[in-house]
Amino acid sequence: MNPVESVPVSVGVNGLTAILVSLACVALSWWALQNLKLDLFIRHPKGPQGKLLQLLLAVVLGRFVASFVLEYWGYTQMLRYMF
């Protein structure tokens, strides 16, 4: 395989990895937020607005966690250039 041909494949694999990690982190955040007592903060946590707030919180939290995981993975990949 030509090295020039492997660059788009590498970018594609990185993109797919980022998507999968982001979705997994959002799902994990959604699962973790199921334990949160939203009735302390909002009136109707089981209503559509309460569920939407929970989904938005899961997306925001999941994005931060995914960003951390992907950055950490990138840093570990850079370590091989140290030696």
Side-chain angles (χ1 to χ4, degrees):
M1 178 178 266
N2 192 349
V4 176
E5 291 175 0
S6 67
V7 172
V9 172
S10 175
V11 171
V13 169
N14 288 343
L16 181 61
T17 303
I19 289 171
L20 293 176
V21 167
S22 295
L23 288 175
C25 288
V26 168
L28 195 65
S29 297
W30 172 264
W31 176 72
L33 286 173
Q34 296 299 310
N35 239 359
L36 185 66
K37 288 187 64 127
L38 286 177
D39 57 345
L40 299 175
F41 304 106
I42 58 175
R43 289 187 198 129
H44 306 289
K46 299 292 184 191
Q49 290 173 329
K51 288 296 180 186
L52 179 62
L53 178 63
Q54 194 172 14
L55 176 65
L56 293 174
L57 286 172
V59 169
V60 169
L61 182 62
R63 177 65 184 116
F64 281 125
V65 172
S67 175
F68 170 77
V69 169
L70 291 171
E71 283 181 18
Y72 189 81
W73 179 258
Y75 297 149
T76 60
Q77 295 301 307
M78 286 185 229
L79 286 178
R80 65 180 161 188
Y81 298 114
M82 208 169 137
F83 303 104

